[in-house]
Amino acid sequence: MPFSVIWQLAGVVALSALGTMLVAVGALGSGGLCLAGAAWWFWRLYRTDD
């Protein structure tokens, strides 16, 4: 696995954690956007790893 993929995966995890924390405190709009962005980024990362 290339080193850049590891960095991107760490970014996806961090964005997911931020989104989850925002949703937990009631910031549903910002948290939902972070989670949607993390899901899209993970999907793109997964698709290019084939």
Side-chain angles (χ1 to χ4, degrees):
M1 186 179 321
F3 196 63
S4 64
V5 173
I6 294 170
W7 277 111
Q8 288 187 45
L9 190 57
V12 168
V13 169
L15 191 59
S16 297
L18 176 65
T20 302
M21 286 188 292
L22 286 171
V23 167
V25 298
L28 300 179
S30 299
L33 284 175
C34 285
L35 290 174
W40 178 80
W41 190 6
F42 180 75
W43 178 75
R44 295 290 297 175
L45 184 62
Y46 176 75
R47 297 281 296 170
T48 57
D49 197 37
D50 287 343

PDB file of all heavy atoms in Angstrom, residues 5-47:
ATOM      1  N   VAL A   5      -1.641   6.640   0.309  1.00  0.00           N
ATOM      2  CA  VAL A   5      -2.936   6.037   0.644  1.00  0.00           C
ATOM      3  C   VAL A   5      -3.105   5.975   2.154  1.00  0.00           C
ATOM      4  O   VAL A   5      -4.205   6.206   2.677  1.00  0.00           O
ATOM      5  CB  VAL A   5      -3.060   4.629   0.004  1.00  0.00           C
ATOM      6  CG1 VAL A   5      -4.310   3.926   0.483  1.00  0.00           C
ATOM      7  CG2 VAL A   5      -3.035   4.722  -1.500  1.00  0.00           C
ATOM      8  N   ILE A   6      -2.024   5.696   2.862  1.00  0.00           N
ATOM      9  CA  ILE A   6      -2.088   5.651   4.325  1.00  0.00           C
ATOM     10  C   ILE A   6      -2.432   7.035   4.876  1.00  0.00           C
ATOM     11  O   ILE A   6      -3.262   7.168   5.778  1.00  0.00           O
ATOM     12  CB  ILE A   6      -0.760   5.128   4.899  1.00  0.00           C
ATOM     13  CG1 ILE A   6      -0.577   3.664   4.494  1.00  0.00           C
ATOM     14  CG2 ILE A   6      -0.726   5.265   6.413  1.00  0.00           C
ATOM     15  CD1 ILE A   6       0.782   3.097   4.798  1.00  0.00           C
ATOM     16  N   TRP A   7      -1.805   8.083   4.325  1.00  0.00           N
ATOM     17  CA  TRP A   7      -2.117   9.455   4.754  1.00  0.00           C
ATOM     18  C   TRP A   7      -3.563   9.817   4.463  1.00  0.00           C
ATOM     19  O   TRP A   7      -4.241  10.451   5.269  1.00  0.00           O
ATOM     20  CB  TRP A   7      -1.192  10.466   4.080  1.00  0.00           C
ATOM     21  CG  TRP A   7       0.119  10.597   4.770  1.00  0.00           C
ATOM     22  CD1 TRP A   7       1.334  10.193   4.285  1.00  0.00           C
ATOM     23  CD2 TRP A   7       0.365  11.132   6.062  1.00  0.00           C
ATOM     24  NE1 TRP A   7       2.313  10.455   5.198  1.00  0.00           N
ATOM     25  CE2 TRP A   7       1.751  11.041   6.303  1.00  0.00           C
ATOM     26  CE3 TRP A   7      -0.436  11.683   7.047  1.00  0.00           C
ATOM     27  CZ2 TRP A   7       2.338  11.482   7.480  1.00  0.00           C
ATOM     28  CZ3 TRP A   7       0.147  12.128   8.221  1.00  0.00           C
ATOM     29  CH2 TRP A   7       1.514  12.028   8.428  1.00  0.00           C
ATOM     30  N   GLN A   8      -4.047   9.412   3.290  1.00  0.00           N
ATOM     31  CA  GLN A   8      -5.431   9.714   2.942  1.00  0.00           C
ATOM     32  C   GLN A   8      -6.399   8.965   3.844  1.00  0.00           C
ATOM     33  O   GLN A   8      -7.439   9.509   4.242  1.00  0.00           O
ATOM     34  CB  GLN A   8      -5.700   9.366   1.484  1.00  0.00           C
ATOM     35  CG  GLN A   8      -5.030  10.322   0.524  1.00  0.00           C
ATOM     36  CD  GLN A   8      -5.453  10.053  -0.903  1.00  0.00           C
ATOM     37  OE1 GLN A   8      -6.631   9.871  -1.178  1.00  0.00           O
ATOM     38  NE2 GLN A   8      -4.484  10.045  -1.798  1.00  0.00           N
ATOM     39  N   LEU A   9      -6.078   7.729   4.163  1.00  0.00           N
ATOM     40  CA  LEU A   9      -6.940   6.960   5.057  1.00  0.00           C
ATOM     41  C   LEU A   9      -6.969   7.597   6.448  1.00  0.00           C
ATOM     42  O   LEU A   9      -8.029   7.668   7.085  1.00  0.00           O
ATOM     43  CB  LEU A   9      -6.460   5.514   5.142  1.00  0.00           C
ATOM     44  CG  LEU A   9      -7.385   4.525   5.836  1.00  0.00           C
ATOM     45  CD1 LEU A   9      -8.743   4.508   5.159  1.00  0.00           C
ATOM     46  CD2 LEU A   9      -6.776   3.145   5.830  1.00  0.00           C
ATOM     47  N   ALA A  10      -5.833   8.103   6.908  1.00  0.00           N
ATOM     48  CA  ALA A  10      -5.795   8.818   8.189  1.00  0.00           C
ATOM     49  C   ALA A  10      -6.654  10.082   8.115  1.00  0.00           C
ATOM     50  O   ALA A  10      -7.339  10.435   9.085  1.00  0.00           O
ATOM     51  CB  ALA A  10      -4.357   9.169   8.551  1.00  0.00           C
ATOM     52  N   GLY A  11      -6.645  10.756   6.974  1.00  0.00           N
ATOM     53  CA  GLY A  11      -7.487  11.936   6.796  1.00  0.00           C
ATOM     54  C   GLY A  11      -8.964  11.589   6.822  1.00  0.00           C
ATOM     55  O   GLY A  11      -9.773  12.325   7.404  1.00  0.00           O
ATOM     56  N   VAL A  12      -9.316  10.480   6.202  1.00  0.00           N
ATOM     57  CA  VAL A  12     -10.715  10.030   6.210  1.00  0.00           C
ATOM     58  C   VAL A  12     -11.159   9.715   7.630  1.00  0.00           C
ATOM     59  O   VAL A  12     -12.262  10.084   8.056  1.00  0.00           O
ATOM     60  CB  VAL A  12     -10.898   8.807   5.280  1.00  0.00           C
ATOM     61  CG1 VAL A  12     -12.251   8.157   5.493  1.00  0.00           C
ATOM     62  CG2 VAL A  12     -10.722   9.198   3.836  1.00  0.00           C
ATOM     63  N   VAL A  13     -10.301   9.050   8.390  1.00  0.00           N
ATOM     64  CA  VAL A  13     -10.638   8.711   9.774  1.00  0.00           C
ATOM     65  C   VAL A  13     -10.796   9.983  10.604  1.00  0.00           C
ATOM     66  O   VAL A  13     -11.733  10.103  11.404  1.00  0.00           O
ATOM     67  CB  VAL A  13      -9.567   7.771  10.375  1.00  0.00           C
ATOM     68  CG1 VAL A  13      -9.746   7.619  11.876  1.00  0.00           C
ATOM     69  CG2 VAL A  13      -9.616   6.413   9.692  1.00  0.00           C
ATOM     70  N   ALA A  14      -9.899  10.946  10.417  1.00  0.00           N
ATOM     71  CA  ALA A  14      -9.985  12.206  11.164  1.00  0.00           C
ATOM     72  C   ALA A  14     -11.255  12.969  10.800  1.00  0.00           C
ATOM     73  O   ALA A  14     -11.929  13.526  11.681  1.00  0.00           O
ATOM     74  CB  ALA A  14      -8.749  13.053  10.881  1.00  0.00           C
ATOM     75  N   LEU A  15     -11.604  13.013   9.512  1.00  0.00           N
ATOM     76  CA  LEU A  15     -12.812  13.712   9.095  1.00  0.00           C
ATOM     77  C   LEU A  15     -14.064  13.005   9.622  1.00  0.00           C
ATOM     78  O   LEU A  15     -15.024  13.661  10.034  1.00  0.00           O
ATOM     79  CB  LEU A  15     -12.849  13.806   7.563  1.00  0.00           C
ATOM     80  CG  LEU A  15     -13.894  14.722   6.948  1.00  0.00           C
ATOM     81  CD1 LEU A  15     -13.707  16.153   7.439  1.00  0.00           C
ATOM     82  CD2 LEU A  15     -13.793  14.670   5.430  1.00  0.00           C
ATOM     83  N   SER A  16     -14.030  11.694   9.658  1.00  0.00           N
ATOM     84  CA  SER A  16     -15.152  10.943  10.224  1.00  0.00           C
ATOM     85  C   SER A  16     -15.300  11.210  11.716  1.00  0.00           C
ATOM     86  O   SER A  16     -16.418  11.365  12.220  1.00  0.00           O
ATOM     87  CB  SER A  16     -14.952   9.440  10.003  1.00  0.00           C
ATOM     88  OG  SER A  16     -14.931   9.138   8.640  1.00  0.00           O
ATOM     89  N   ALA A  17     -14.178  11.264  12.412  1.00  0.00           N
ATOM     90  CA  ALA A  17     -14.223  11.547  13.849  1.00  0.00           C
ATOM     91  C   ALA A  17     -14.757  12.950  14.107  1.00  0.00           C
ATOM     92  O   ALA A  17     -15.586  13.152  15.008  1.00  0.00           O
ATOM     93  CB  ALA A  17     -12.834  11.393  14.451  1.00  0.00           C
ATOM     94  N   LEU A  18     -14.314  13.915  13.323  1.00  0.00           N
ATOM     95  CA  LEU A  18     -14.803  15.285  13.478  1.00  0.00           C
ATOM     96  C   LEU A  18     -16.303  15.349  13.209  1.00  0.00           C
ATOM     97  O   LEU A  18     -17.048  15.968  13.969  1.00  0.00           O
ATOM     98  CB  LEU A  18     -14.057  16.223  12.530  1.00  0.00           C
ATOM     99  CG  LEU A  18     -14.520  17.674  12.521  1.00  0.00           C
ATOM    100  CD1 LEU A  18     -14.251  18.317  13.870  1.00  0.00           C
ATOM    101  CD2 LEU A  18     -13.826  18.433  11.406  1.00  0.00           C
ATOM    102  N   GLY A  19     -16.747  14.708  12.140  1.00  0.00           N
ATOM    103  CA  GLY A  19     -18.169  14.691  11.819  1.00  0.00           C
ATOM    104  C   GLY A  19     -19.000  14.031  12.900  1.00  0.00           C
ATOM    105  O   GLY A  19     -20.080  14.515  13.262  1.00  0.00           O
ATOM    106  N   THR A  20     -18.498  12.945  13.452  1.00  0.00           N
ATOM    107  CA  THR A  20     -19.210  12.242  14.516  1.00  0.00           C
ATOM    108  C   THR A  20     -19.310  13.111  15.765  1.00  0.00           C
ATOM    109  O   THR A  20     -20.365  13.171  16.414  1.00  0.00           O
ATOM    110  CB  THR A  20     -18.500  10.920  14.842  1.00  0.00           C
ATOM    111  OG1 THR A  20     -18.440  10.133  13.657  1.00  0.00           O
ATOM    112  CG2 THR A  20     -19.239  10.144  15.914  1.00  0.00           C
ATOM    113  N   MET A  21     -18.217  13.797  16.104  1.00  0.00           N
ATOM    114  CA  MET A  21     -18.258  14.682  17.275  1.00  0.00           C
ATOM    115  C   MET A  21     -19.238  15.825  17.062  1.00  0.00           C
ATOM    116  O   MET A  21     -19.978  16.195  17.985  1.00  0.00           O
ATOM    117  CB  MET A  21     -16.861  15.230  17.564  1.00  0.00           C
ATOM    118  CG  MET A  21     -15.936  14.208  18.185  1.00  0.00           C
ATOM    119  SD  MET A  21     -14.366  14.902  18.740  1.00  0.00           S
ATOM    120  CE  MET A  21     -13.583  15.327  17.201  1.00  0.00           C
ATOM    121  N   LEU A  22     -19.269  16.384  15.865  1.00  0.00           N
ATOM    122  CA  LEU A  22     -20.193  17.481  15.597  1.00  0.00           C
ATOM    123  C   LEU A  22     -21.644  17.022  15.687  1.00  0.00           C
ATOM    124  O   LEU A  22     -22.497  17.727  16.242  1.00  0.00           O
ATOM    125  CB  LEU A  22     -19.903  18.091  14.226  1.00  0.00           C
ATOM    126  CG  LEU A  22     -18.656  18.955  14.142  1.00  0.00           C
ATOM    127  CD1 LEU A  22     -18.360  19.310  12.689  1.00  0.00           C
ATOM    128  CD2 LEU A  22     -18.802  20.203  14.974  1.00  0.00           C
ATOM    129  N   VAL A  23     -21.936  15.851  15.144  1.00  0.00           N
ATOM    130  CA  VAL A  23     -23.298  15.320  15.233  1.00  0.00           C
ATOM    131  C   VAL A  23     -23.660  15.042  16.690  1.00  0.00           C
ATOM    132  O   VAL A  23     -24.783  15.301  17.118  1.00  0.00           O
ATOM    133  CB  VAL A  23     -23.438  14.049  14.360  1.00  0.00           C
ATOM    134  CG1 VAL A  23     -24.724  13.305  14.670  1.00  0.00           C
ATOM    135  CG2 VAL A  23     -23.388  14.415  12.883  1.00  0.00           C
ATOM    136  N   ALA A  24     -22.693  14.550  17.473  1.00  0.00           N
ATOM    137  CA  ALA A  24     -22.963  14.218  18.872  1.00  0.00           C
ATOM    138  C   ALA A  24     -23.315  15.452  19.701  1.00  0.00           C
ATOM    139  O   ALA A  24     -24.103  15.351  20.643  1.00  0.00           O
ATOM    140  CB  ALA A  24     -21.759  13.509  19.486  1.00  0.00           C
ATOM    141  N   VAL A  25     -22.745  16.609  19.344  1.00  0.00           N
ATOM    142  CA  VAL A  25     -23.051  17.813  20.116  1.00  0.00           C
ATOM    143  C   VAL A  25     -24.214  18.598  19.529  1.00  0.00           C
ATOM    144  O   VAL A  25     -24.564  19.659  20.031  1.00  0.00           O
ATOM    145  CB  VAL A  25     -21.817  18.739  20.266  1.00  0.00           C
ATOM    146  CG1 VAL A  25     -20.717  18.030  21.018  1.00  0.00           C
ATOM    147  CG2 VAL A  25     -21.347  19.261  18.934  1.00  0.00           C
ATOM    148  N   GLY A  26     -24.794  18.111  18.467  1.00  0.00           N
ATOM    149  CA  GLY A  26     -25.990  18.729  17.928  1.00  0.00           C
ATOM    150  C   GLY A  26     -25.795  19.585  16.695  1.00  0.00           C
ATOM    151  O   GLY A  26     -26.750  20.178  16.205  1.00  0.00           O
ATOM    152  N   ALA A  27     -24.571  19.676  16.180  1.00  0.00           N
ATOM    153  CA  ALA A  27     -24.327  20.442  14.958  1.00  0.00           C
ATOM    154  C   ALA A  27     -24.555  19.499  13.767  1.00  0.00           C
ATOM    155  O   ALA A  27     -23.623  19.011  13.142  1.00  0.00           O
ATOM    156  CB  ALA A  27     -22.903  20.994  14.952  1.00  0.00           C
ATOM    157  N   LEU A  28     -25.835  19.266  13.485  1.00  0.00           N
ATOM    158  CA  LEU A  28     -26.182  18.240  12.499  1.00  0.00           C
ATOM    159  C   LEU A  28     -25.781  18.623  11.080  1.00  0.00           C
ATOM    160  O   LEU A  28     -25.384  17.759  10.301  1.00  0.00           O
ATOM    161  CB  LEU A  28     -27.680  17.954  12.557  1.00  0.00           C
ATOM    162  CG  LEU A  28     -28.187  17.440  13.910  1.00  0.00           C
ATOM    163  CD1 LEU A  28     -29.690  17.226  13.854  1.00  0.00           C
ATOM    164  CD2 LEU A  28     -27.476  16.177  14.309  1.00  0.00           C
ATOM    165  N   GLY A  29     -25.886  19.890  10.733  1.00  0.00           N
ATOM    166  CA  GLY A  29     -25.533  20.308   9.374  1.00  0.00           C
ATOM    167  C   GLY A  29     -24.057  20.128   9.082  1.00  0.00           C
ATOM    168  O   GLY A  29     -23.664  19.477   8.110  1.00  0.00           O
ATOM    169  N   SER A  30     -23.214  20.690   9.934  1.00  0.00           N
ATOM    170  CA  SER A  30     -21.769  20.592   9.744  1.00  0.00           C
ATOM    171  C   SER A  30     -21.286  19.155   9.903  1.00  0.00           C
ATOM    172  O   SER A  30     -20.436  18.689   9.135  1.00  0.00           O
ATOM    173  CB  SER A  30     -21.035  21.478  10.754  1.00  0.00           C
ATOM    174  OG  SER A  30     -21.401  22.815  10.590  1.00  0.00           O
ATOM    175  N   GLY A  31     -21.805  18.467  10.898  1.00  0.00           N
ATOM    176  CA  GLY A  31     -21.415  17.076  11.108  1.00  0.00           C
ATOM    177  C   GLY A  31     -21.821  16.186   9.959  1.00  0.00           C
ATOM    178  O   GLY A  31     -21.063  15.317   9.525  1.00  0.00           O
ATOM    179  N   GLY A  32     -23.028  16.421   9.449  1.00  0.00           N
ATOM    180  CA  GLY A  32     -23.487  15.634   8.306  1.00  0.00           C
ATOM    181  C   GLY A  32     -22.652  15.879   7.070  1.00  0.00           C
ATOM    182  O   GLY A  32     -22.349  14.947   6.321  1.00  0.00           O
ATOM    183  N   LEU A  33     -22.260  17.130   6.867  1.00  0.00           N
ATOM    184  CA  LEU A  33     -21.390  17.433   5.723  1.00  0.00           C
ATOM    185  C   LEU A  33     -20.024  16.768   5.867  1.00  0.00           C
ATOM    186  O   LEU A  33     -19.472  16.261   4.894  1.00  0.00           O
ATOM    187  CB  LEU A  33     -21.228  18.944   5.563  1.00  0.00           C
ATOM    188  CG  LEU A  33     -22.411  19.675   4.967  1.00  0.00           C
ATOM    189  CD1 LEU A  33     -22.165  21.184   4.977  1.00  0.00           C
ATOM    190  CD2 LEU A  33     -22.671  19.201   3.552  1.00  0.00           C
ATOM    191  N   CYS A  34     -19.465  16.786   7.071  1.00  0.00           N
ATOM    192  CA  CYS A  34     -18.182  16.126   7.304  1.00  0.00           C
ATOM    193  C   CYS A  34     -18.286  14.621   7.060  1.00  0.00           C
ATOM    194  O   CYS A  34     -17.414  14.023   6.429  1.00  0.00           O
ATOM    195  CB  CYS A  34     -17.688  16.382   8.729  1.00  0.00           C
ATOM    196  SG  CYS A  34     -17.042  18.028   8.993  1.00  0.00           S
ATOM    197  N   LEU A  35     -19.352  14.019   7.559  1.00  0.00           N
ATOM    198  CA  LEU A  35     -19.531  12.581   7.360  1.00  0.00           C
ATOM    199  C   LEU A  35     -19.773  12.237   5.895  1.00  0.00           C
ATOM    200  O   LEU A  35     -19.255  11.232   5.392  1.00  0.00           O
ATOM    201  CB  LEU A  35     -20.672  12.070   8.238  1.00  0.00           C
ATOM    202  CG  LEU A  35     -20.372  12.044   9.735  1.00  0.00           C
ATOM    203  CD1 LEU A  35     -21.628  11.662  10.512  1.00  0.00           C
ATOM    204  CD2 LEU A  35     -19.239  11.091  10.043  1.00  0.00           C
ATOM    205  N   ALA A  36     -20.538  13.069   5.207  1.00  0.00           N
ATOM    206  CA  ALA A  36     -20.759  12.833   3.780  1.00  0.00           C
ATOM    207  C   ALA A  36     -19.458  12.994   2.999  1.00  0.00           C
ATOM    208  O   ALA A  36     -19.157  12.203   2.086  1.00  0.00           O
ATOM    209  CB  ALA A  36     -21.821  13.791   3.253  1.00  0.00           C
ATOM    210  N   GLY A  37     -18.672  14.003   3.363  1.00  0.00           N
ATOM    211  CA  GLY A  37     -17.383  14.195   2.707  1.00  0.00           C
ATOM    212  C   GLY A  37     -16.440  13.041   2.964  1.00  0.00           C
ATOM    213  O   GLY A  37     -15.723  12.594   2.060  1.00  0.00           O
ATOM    214  N   ALA A  38     -16.422  12.533   4.184  1.00  0.00           N
ATOM    215  CA  ALA A  38     -15.570  11.397   4.514  1.00  0.00           C
ATOM    216  C   ALA A  38     -16.014  10.142   3.758  1.00  0.00           C
ATOM    217  O   ALA A  38     -15.180   9.380   3.268  1.00  0.00           O
ATOM    218  CB  ALA A  38     -15.587  11.136   6.013  1.00  0.00           C
ATOM    219  N   ALA A  39     -17.318   9.947   3.652  1.00  0.00           N
ATOM    220  CA  ALA A  39     -17.824   8.787   2.912  1.00  0.00           C
ATOM    221  C   ALA A  39     -17.460   8.887   1.446  1.00  0.00           C
ATOM    222  O   ALA A  39     -17.039   7.897   0.836  1.00  0.00           O
ATOM    223  CB  ALA A  39     -19.336   8.687   3.084  1.00  0.00           C
ATOM    224  N   TRP A  40     -17.603  10.090   0.874  1.00  0.00           N
ATOM    225  CA  TRP A  40     -17.247  10.274  -0.548  1.00  0.00           C
ATOM    226  C   TRP A  40     -15.743  10.071  -0.764  1.00  0.00           C
ATOM    227  O   TRP A  40     -15.335   9.403  -1.707  1.00  0.00           O
ATOM    228  CB  TRP A  40     -17.666  11.673  -1.003  1.00  0.00           C
ATOM    229  CG  TRP A  40     -17.301  11.950  -2.422  1.00  0.00           C
ATOM    230  CD1 TRP A  40     -17.980  11.545  -3.527  1.00  0.00           C
ATOM    231  CD2 TRP A  40     -16.164  12.671  -2.894  1.00  0.00           C
ATOM    232  NE1 TRP A  40     -17.325  11.982  -4.652  1.00  0.00           N
ATOM    233  CE2 TRP A  40     -16.213  12.673  -4.290  1.00  0.00           C
ATOM    234  CE3 TRP A  40     -15.120  13.322  -2.250  1.00  0.00           C
ATOM    235  CZ2 TRP A  40     -15.241  13.299  -5.059  1.00  0.00           C
ATOM    236  CZ3 TRP A  40     -14.148  13.940  -3.014  1.00  0.00           C
ATOM    237  CH2 TRP A  40     -14.217  13.923  -4.401  1.00  0.00           C
ATOM    238  N   TRP A  41     -14.931  10.629   0.129  1.00  0.00           N
ATOM    239  CA  TRP A  41     -13.484  10.511   0.012  1.00  0.00           C
ATOM    240  C   TRP A  41     -13.058   9.046   0.146  1.00  0.00           C
ATOM    241  O   TRP A  41     -12.210   8.559  -0.595  1.00  0.00           O
ATOM    242  CB  TRP A  41     -12.823  11.365   1.083  1.00  0.00           C
ATOM    243  CG  TRP A  41     -11.344  11.552   0.973  1.00  0.00           C
ATOM    244  CD1 TRP A  41     -10.537  11.134  -0.035  1.00  0.00           C
ATOM    245  CD2 TRP A  41     -10.493  12.203   1.906  1.00  0.00           C
ATOM    246  NE1 TRP A  41      -9.244  11.492   0.222  1.00  0.00           N
ATOM    247  CE2 TRP A  41      -9.194  12.155   1.404  1.00  0.00           C
ATOM    248  CE3 TRP A  41     -10.728  12.835   3.125  1.00  0.00           C
ATOM    249  CZ2 TRP A  41      -8.118  12.704   2.084  1.00  0.00           C
ATOM    250  CZ3 TRP A  41      -9.644  13.387   3.781  1.00  0.00           C
ATOM    251  CH2 TRP A  41      -8.363  13.320   3.275  1.00  0.00           C
ATOM    252  N   PHE A  42     -13.662   8.318   1.107  1.00  0.00           N
ATOM    253  CA  PHE A  42     -13.337   6.903   1.269  1.00  0.00           C
ATOM    254  C   PHE A  42     -13.739   6.118   0.034  1.00  0.00           C
ATOM    255  O   PHE A  42     -13.005   5.242  -0.419  1.00  0.00           O
ATOM    256  CB  PHE A  42     -14.036   6.328   2.505  1.00  0.00           C
ATOM    257  CG  PHE A  42     -13.742   4.870   2.719  1.00  0.00           C
ATOM    258  CD1 PHE A  42     -12.523   4.471   3.211  1.00  0.00           C
ATOM    259  CD2 PHE A  42     -14.690   3.912   2.399  1.00  0.00           C
ATOM    260  CE1 PHE A  42     -12.240   3.127   3.396  1.00  0.00           C
ATOM    261  CE2 PHE A  42     -14.421   2.566   2.576  1.00  0.00           C
ATOM    262  CZ  PHE A  42     -13.188   2.174   3.082  1.00  0.00           C
ATOM    263  N   TRP A  43     -14.911   6.426  -0.531  1.00  0.00           N
ATOM    264  CA  TRP A  43     -15.358   5.732  -1.736  1.00  0.00           C
ATOM    265  C   TRP A  43     -14.387   5.972  -2.891  1.00  0.00           C
ATOM    266  O   TRP A  43     -14.039   5.050  -3.614  1.00  0.00           O
ATOM    267  CB  TRP A  43     -16.768   6.192  -2.098  1.00  0.00           C
ATOM    268  CG  TRP A  43     -17.287   5.568  -3.347  1.00  0.00           C
ATOM    269  CD1 TRP A  43     -17.737   4.288  -3.504  1.00  0.00           C
ATOM    270  CD2 TRP A  43     -17.398   6.190  -4.634  1.00  0.00           C
ATOM    271  NE1 TRP A  43     -18.129   4.087  -4.798  1.00  0.00           N
ATOM    272  CE2 TRP A  43     -17.933   5.238  -5.509  1.00  0.00           C
ATOM    273  CE3 TRP A  43     -17.109   7.464  -5.104  1.00  0.00           C
ATOM    274  CZ2 TRP A  43     -18.160   5.524  -6.846  1.00  0.00           C
ATOM    275  CZ3 TRP A  43     -17.353   7.740  -6.431  1.00  0.00           C
ATOM    276  CH2 TRP A  43     -17.866   6.781  -7.282  1.00  0.00           C
ATOM    277  N   ARG A  44     -13.947   7.221  -3.063  1.00  0.00           N
ATOM    278  CA  ARG A  44     -12.989   7.537  -4.121  1.00  0.00           C
ATOM    279  C   ARG A  44     -11.657   6.833  -3.887  1.00  0.00           C
ATOM    280  O   ARG A  44     -11.032   6.333  -4.814  1.00  0.00           O
ATOM    281  CB  ARG A  44     -12.757   9.047  -4.212  1.00  0.00           C
ATOM    282  CG  ARG A  44     -13.961   9.838  -4.625  1.00  0.00           C
ATOM    283  CD  ARG A  44     -14.330   9.611  -6.049  1.00  0.00           C
ATOM    284  NE  ARG A  44     -13.241  10.074  -6.895  1.00  0.00           N
ATOM    285  CZ  ARG A  44     -13.205   9.934  -8.210  1.00  0.00           C
ATOM    286  NH1 ARG A  44     -14.185   9.358  -8.824  1.00  0.00           N
ATOM    287  NH2 ARG A  44     -12.192  10.371  -8.905  1.00  0.00           N
ATOM    288  N   LEU A  45     -11.209   6.794  -2.635  1.00  0.00           N
ATOM    289  CA  LEU A  45      -9.963   6.123  -2.304  1.00  0.00           C
ATOM    290  C   LEU A  45     -10.073   4.626  -2.562  1.00  0.00           C
ATOM    291  O   LEU A  45      -9.161   4.004  -3.097  1.00  0.00           O
ATOM    292  CB  LEU A  45      -9.614   6.399  -0.839  1.00  0.00           C
ATOM    293  CG  LEU A  45      -8.296   5.861  -0.310  1.00  0.00           C
ATOM    294  CD1 LEU A  45      -7.132   6.488  -1.053  1.00  0.00           C
ATOM    295  CD2 LEU A  45      -8.180   6.129   1.181  1.00  0.00           C
ATOM    296  N   TYR A  46     -11.201   4.042  -2.193  1.00  0.00           N
ATOM    297  CA  TYR A  46     -11.429   2.612  -2.396  1.00  0.00           C
ATOM    298  C   TYR A  46     -11.483   2.276  -3.884  1.00  0.00           C
ATOM    299  O   TYR A  46     -10.943   1.274  -4.313  1.00  0.00           O
ATOM    300  CB  TYR A  46     -12.721   2.199  -1.698  1.00  0.00           C
ATOM    301  CG  TYR A  46     -13.105   0.768  -1.921  1.00  0.00           C
ATOM    302  CD1 TYR A  46     -12.438  -0.257  -1.274  1.00  0.00           C
ATOM    303  CD2 TYR A  46     -14.144   0.428  -2.792  1.00  0.00           C
ATOM    304  CE1 TYR A  46     -12.767  -1.571  -1.469  1.00  0.00           C
ATOM    305  CE2 TYR A  46     -14.489  -0.891  -3.005  1.00  0.00           C
ATOM    306  CZ  TYR A  46     -13.793  -1.886  -2.343  1.00  0.00           C
ATOM    307  OH  TYR A  46     -14.133  -3.187  -2.553  1.00  0.00           O
ATOM    308  N   ARG A  47     -12.138   3.125  -4.673  1.00  0.00           N
ATOM    309  CA  ARG A  47     -12.275   2.861  -6.103  1.00  0.00           C
ATOM    310  C   ARG A  47     -10.949   2.964  -6.843  1.00  0.00           C
ATOM    311  O   ARG A  47     -10.721   2.257  -7.822  1.00  0.00           O
ATOM    312  CB  ARG A  47     -13.275   3.834  -6.736  1.00  0.00           C
ATOM    313  CG  ARG A  47     -14.674   3.704  -6.216  1.00  0.00           C
ATOM    314  CD  ARG A  47     -15.405   2.575  -6.815  1.00  0.00           C
ATOM    315  NE  ARG A  47     -15.549   2.809  -8.242  1.00  0.00           N
ATOM    316  CZ  ARG A  47     -15.982   1.928  -9.107  1.00  0.00           C
ATOM    317  NH1 ARG A  47     -16.330   0.749  -8.686  1.00  0.00           N
ATOM    318  NH2 ARG A  47     -16.079   2.206 -10.367  1.00  0.00           N
TER     319      ARG A  47
END
